[in-house]
Amino acid sequence: MPLRLLFVDDDPDIRTIVELALGLDPTIALRVAASAGEALNALAATQPDAALLDVSMPDMDGPALLAALHDRSPGLPVIFMTAHGRERDVAALRAIGARGVIVKPFDPLSLSAQIRALLSG
């Protein structure tokens, strides 16, 4: 059974890159959302195994979305994607419950392996 992954990012270019990159991996079933609200609306129908969230979004940022996801789906593993890859930024995201952080720009060809490594670790 494939890994059901909910990906949320407000940047259409990043969404396209991630869709193309993860579309190459037949073991990942990707659901894409352009906003936190769209992600929350899709949560029940999608029943993801994990979520990949942008940190900086206009209506609800990634940390707030993580809290909302955990309210609705406790224990859901969350990985963040962010351009802010300083050690203290990564530590702050881990402190609020992130399983890991993928720093932008990322390598599309290794994205699937990065996600799997963070989820298994």
Side-chain angles (χ1 to χ4, degrees):
M1 189 155 100
L3 171 71
R4 294 175 309 225
L5 183 67
L6 175 61
F7 172 58
V8 188
D9 198 304
D10 62 308
D11 184 321
D13 294 331
I14 298 293
R15 286 196 311 271
T16 298
I17 292 167
V18 169
E19 280 185 282
L20 290 171
L22 296 182
L24 298 173
D25 185 336
T27 67
I28 294 180
L30 187 65
R31 173 69 185 253
V32 179
S35 68
E38 188 178 317
L40 291 172
N41 288 336
L43 185 63
T46 304
Q47 297 181 342
D49 299 310
L52 179 62
L53 311 179
D54 183 22
V55 171
S56 300
M57 295 185 285
D59 295 334
M60 178 188 290
D61 68 6
L65 178 55
L66 177 143
L69 288 172
H70 280 176
D71 283 346
R72 297 177 185 197
S73 186
L76 179 70
V78 171
I79 298 169
F80 281 109
M81 291 185 85
T82 181
H84 304 286
R86 294 179 304 210
E87 204 172 302
R88 71 174 190 211
D89 297 325
V90 172
L93 293 171
R94 285 187 174 273
I96 62 167
R99 180 68 62 93
V101 177
I102 296 173
V103 178
K104 296 176 185 177
F106 55 90
D107 175 11
L109 296 178
S110 67
L111 182 60
S112 176
Q114 278 186 284
I115 291 167
R116 292 231 182 253
L118 290 169
L119 292 175
S120 67

